[in-house]
Amino acid sequence: QLQLVESGGGLAQPGGSLRLSCAASGFTYYPIGWFRQPPGKEREEVSCISSSGGITNYADSVKGRFTISRDKNTVYLQMNSLKPEDTAVYYCAANTRAPSCSVYPADFGSWGQGTQVTVSS
């Protein structure tokens, strides 16, 4: 059974940085995506990394500011130059239903519990 647990969220000032971690247990050889859901808005994918780590995707809203990476057991999302509009609950998810990174939530069969990121002065 695949299990994902996010950590690293919290409060940051505009222009600051946070690093989110997604710790995986069980079978972990899947593409992993990071999604976020701001208050009152729909959930969106911000980044995805292939099972090997060789291919990464980013939403236009975070490109150049966020970096996704992974090792054997953990996927990271380094968030720099944070903006208030980055405030959201962030989720990691495993793409268990598609062969590569996908932007469709239905392709992700396993989700973490979410971690709150708040960007405010």
Side-chain angles (χ1 to χ4, degrees):
Q1 183 179 7
L2 177 62
Q3 184 170 308
L4 305 173
V5 179
E6 302 97 334
S7 63
L11 178 65
Q13 297 183 21
S17 298
L18 288 172
R19 188 173 79 160
L20 305 183
S21 298
C22 176
S25 60
F27 185 76
T28 61
Y29 195 71
Y30 295 108
I32 300 294
W34 282 99
F35 293 77
R36 69 184 183 187
Q37 187 165 23
K41 297 184 179 181
E42 296 181 352
R43 187 173 300 186
E44 65 172 347
E45 185 180 279
V46 298
S47 188
C48 187
I49 188 166
S50 64
S51 57
S52 69
I55 299 173
T56 57
N57 297 332
Y58 298 95
D60 288 342
S61 59
V62 307
K63 195 171 298 181
R65 299 189 298 118
F66 291 9
T67 303
I68 192 169
S69 62
R70 70 186 297 165
D71 61 21
K72 184 176 179 64
N73 300 306
T74 307
V75 176
Y76 304 95
L77 186 68
Q78 179 67 46
M79 305 186 295
N80 298 328
S81 302
L82 284 164
K83 304 175 181 179
E85 50 263 44
D86 295 320
T87 296
V89 177
Y90 283 71
Y91 302 87
C92 66
N95 189 343
T96 60
R97 298 166 182 159
S100 60
C101 277
S102 169
V103 299
Y104 303 107
D107 288 338
F108 292 77
S110 184
W111 293 76
Q113 83 287 353
T115 186
Q116 176 70 48
V117 171
T118 302
V119 183
S120 176
S121 60

